[in-house]
Amino acid sequence: MFESLMSNLRRVLLLQDKLDGISKDINEIQGDLKDHEKRLMRIELLIEMGFKAQSRGLPPE
């Protein structure tokens, strides 16, 4: 019984390590998504500025 408990404890600890790794990966991905979102917002702004300039007959910036 003691060996079974120790085996289960090892499994739990291994799973905890895996979950910690997954959590770190998720945090990295969320950070990357925020960076990409900022870039997309800048691109959208530049496109919008270009359309406004074009509608006024000005060359796009």
Side-chain angles (χ1 to χ4, degrees):
M1 181 165 165
F2 180 74
E3 288 181 21
S4 175
L5 287 173
M6 291 303 292
S7 175
N8 286 338
L9 179 59
R10 278 187 224 107
R11 286 185 197 159
V12 167
L13 292 174
L14 286 172
L15 288 173
Q16 183 63 45
D17 282 346
K18 287 182 182 181
L19 285 173
D20 288 344
I22 291 170
S23 179
K24 288 177 185 176
D25 291 344
I26 289 172
N27 288 336
E28 267 186 51
I29 291 168
Q30 286 175 331
D32 290 346
L33 286 173
K34 286 180 184 177
D35 291 343
H36 289 300
E37 183 180 24
K38 288 177 187 176
R39 287 185 191 131
L40 284 173
M41 289 173 65
R42 285 188 208 125
I43 291 168
E44 288 173 349
L45 180 62
L46 289 171
I47 290 170
E48 187 178 324
M49 289 170 57
F51 280 131
K52 285 181 181 178
Q54 196 173 30
S55 70
R56 288 189 226 124
L58 300 173
E61 295 179 18

